[in-house]
């Protein structure tokens, strides 16, 4: 392999830059030329492809976002879009591609691999919702952003003796809610993987109130429904002042944590190794602190197992 490409696609996540740096440097270390593709799959379709040097990825390991930019690209979902992409890759002499992104981006990567173009995927999304890896790049940083926010909210909740509903990201996966709820001692965690019972939530609040607890934190994943509506229902039922904070996009940005930088460095370098070894249609992951890989196609049909034990623990510790 003489030349490879790298792109970031879908929602950004902290640590994407560290992953780009690892891909670029690992390739150059092995004497392989490297091109950056801007704006995800859009850059393939529209030929926004540029050679990268060691210096291009200097001073980015600690920065959130992605220096290659990211985009969503409907055109890549069409055969014409993918054929144009293949022609541009060929024009630049690119023989393999690293796709850094979430499950949507992996779907795109898989389509390219199906056309016999070597592609590997690096899981990077704050949601931690990709089967085949214990952690995705960006999850740890997002989690730390959330708990810093909830710590601050808790100060106000305590001072004013209020109940706070905090809505966090996670449309289909509740990992951010589960981990932040456990890390922050939330009274209740509501997430997509577990059905919740409103009466139980209210009973829990009343029980706490009776034993003298005058504030509560309820963490809810966005996929379950609106935090605002939840707060209104609670306020009506328990007659306790209830406020809502929707954390939104602050969860996506920021300097990546040490964990995410290390993970991104390992996975980015691992992706280049896979391409050198002639692999295609594979995604990387980390399991039990070991870098592993599997077919993207398998990962896309699997359901990521939900950590029921951790959920149970959160319930037991917030009695
Ligand atoms: P994420 O990677 O964060 O899950 P998205 O779901 O938005 O992001 O997907 C990112 C991009 O991946 C899409 O805009 C599109 O360009 C590409 N993509 C997603 N699904 C497919 C598909 N079935 N075929 C081809 N490309 C796809």
């Amino acid at each position: 392999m003489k030349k490879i490409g790298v792109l970031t696609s879908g929602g950004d996540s902290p640590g994407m830059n560290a992953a780009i740096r690892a891909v670029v440097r690992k390739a150059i270390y092995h004497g392989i030329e490297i091109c950056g593709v801007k704006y995800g799959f859009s850059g393939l379709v529209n030929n926004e492809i540029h050679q990268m040097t060691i210096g291009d990825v200097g001073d980015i390991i600690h920065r959130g976002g992605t220096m290659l930019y990211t985009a969503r690209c409907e055109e890549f979902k069409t055969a014409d879009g993918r054929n144009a992409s293949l022609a541009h890759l060929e024009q630049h002499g690119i023989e393999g591609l690293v796709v850094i992104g979430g499950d949507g981006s992996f779907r795109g990567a898989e389509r390219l691999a199906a056309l016999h173009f070597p592609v590997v995927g690096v899981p990077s999304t704050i949601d931690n919702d990709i089967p085949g890896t214990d952690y995705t790049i960006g999850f740890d940083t997002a989690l730390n952003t959330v708990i810093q926010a909830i710590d601050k909210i808790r100060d106000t909740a305590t001072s004013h003796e209020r109940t706070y509903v905090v809505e966090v990201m996670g449309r289909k996966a509740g990992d951010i809610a589960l981990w932040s709820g456990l890390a922050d001692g939330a009274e209740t965690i509501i997430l997509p993987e577990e059905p919740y019972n409103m009466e139980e939530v209210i009973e829990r609040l009343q029980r706490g109130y009776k034993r003298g607890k005058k504030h509560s934190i309820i963490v809810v994943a966005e996929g379950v429904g609106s935090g605002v509506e939840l707060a209104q229902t609670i306020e009506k039922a328990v007659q306790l002042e209830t406020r809502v904070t929707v954390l939104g996009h602050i969860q996506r940005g920021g300097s990546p944590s040490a964990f995410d930088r290390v993970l991104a460095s390992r996975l980015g370098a691992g992706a280049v190794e896979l391409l050198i070894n002639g692999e295609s249609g594979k995604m990387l992951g980390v399991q039990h602190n070991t870098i592993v890989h599997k077919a993207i196609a398998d990962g896309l049909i699997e359901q990521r197992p939900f950590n029921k034990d951790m959920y149970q623990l959160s319930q037991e510790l917030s009695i």
Side-chain angles (χ1 to χ4, degrees):
M1 194 148 289
K2 291 196 194 69
K3 201 189 248 189
I4 62 174
V6 58
L7 60 80
T8 49
S9 165
D12 70 319
S13 72
M16 278 184 160
N17 276 328
I20 296 168
R21 173 182 177 271
V23 172
V24 170
R25 299 251 166 117
K26 180 76 173 171
I28 294 173
Y29 174 83
H30 285 287
I32 298 169
E33 288 183 67
I34 173 87
C35 285
V37 181
K38 280 191 177 167
Y39 309 110
F41 293 113
S42 281
L44 285 183
V45 175
N46 300 315
N47 205 7
E48 297 216 49
I49 303 172
H50 308 277
Q51 182 104 12
M52 293 181 84
T53 64
I54 300 173
D56 288 340
V57 289
D59 203 26
I60 63 164
I61 196 166
H62 62 301
R63 294 189 200 281
T66 159
M67 69 168 295
L68 288 175
Y69 305 97
T70 183
R72 298 201 157 93
C73 174
E74 285 305 308
E75 230 181 319
F76 193 74
K77 293 183 178 169
T78 67
D80 283 352
R82 289 193 296 275
N83 288 334
S85 300
L86 281 178
H88 293 141
L89 285 163
E90 196 183 330
Q91 180 196 327
H92 290 271
I94 296 172
E95 296 166 313
L97 182 71
V98 179
V99 171
I100 302 168
D103 60 346
S105 303
F106 279 13
R107 236 162 243 128
E110 172 57 20
R111 301 299 291 270
L112 209 53
L115 297 173
H116 309 292
F117 190 87
V119 189
V120 296
V122 170
S124 194
T125 160
I126 64 164
D127 291 336
N128 207 32
D129 60 349
I130 299 192
T133 187
D134 293 344
Y135 302 105
T136 56
I137 299 167
F139 170 62
D140 183 65
T141 307
L143 188 58
N144 279 288
T145 302
V146 170
I147 67 160
Q148 279 169 19
I150 299 180
D151 286 349
K152 289 176 179 145
I153 289 166
R154 188 180 277 283
D155 287 345
T156 299
T158 314
S159 305
H160 288 270
E161 301 188 332
R162 281 180 191 148
T163 298
Y164 265 86
V165 172
V166 183
E167 185 187 306
V168 300
M169 278 187 173
R171 272 182 305 231
K172 290 190 205 126
D175 270 31
I176 294 181
L178 177 59
W179 284 66
S180 65
L182 188 57
D184 242 307
E187 277 66 29
T188 299
I189 302 171
I190 302 177
L191 31 72
E193 291 91 341
E194 281 288 319
Y196 78 100
N197 178 335
M198 198 59 197
E199 274 146 39
E200 219 175 273
V201 172
I202 287 161
E203 194 201 293
R204 201 174 255 273
L205 282 173
Q206 283 169 332
R207 205 168 52 222
Y209 191 74
K210 272 190 202 132
R211 72 170 173 82
K213 189 173 190 167
K214 303 231 170 57
H215 74 273
S216 289
I217 303 283
I218 297 170
V219 177
V220 56
E222 63 181 335
V224 179
S226 152
V228 176
E229 281 169 24
L230 188 78
Q232 284 166 349
T233 313
I234 290 171
E235 193 164 53
K236 247 189 232 149
V238 290
Q239 303 290 309
L240 293 174
E241 194 180 356
T242 306
R243 296 285 169 94
V244 194
T245 303
V246 179
L247 293 183
H249 280 86
I250 66 155
Q251 294 164 88
R252 285 263 191 89
S255 177
S257 66
F259 182 89
D260 277 329
R261 295 181 204 188
V262 171
L263 180 64
S265 300
R266 294 176 79 193
L267 295 179
V272 175
E273 261 169 33
L274 278 190
L275 286 175
I276 291 174
N277 293 338
E279 300 272 8
S280 179
K282 298 280 163 72
M283 59 156 282
L284 287 118
V286 63
Q287 285 177 345
H288 311 296
N289 202 24
T290 302
I291 301 301
V292 294
H293 59 85
K294 67 188 298 179
I296 296 176
D298 291 345
L300 288 176
I301 51 171
E302 278 169 26
Q303 192 71 30
R304 196 169 177 278
F306 175 64
N307 196 333
K308 265 201 176 273
D309 291 347
M310 225 164 103
Y311 181 74
Q312 176 62 24
L313 178 65
S314 75
Q315 300 267 81
E316 289 170 10
L317 299 187
S318 61
I319 38 172

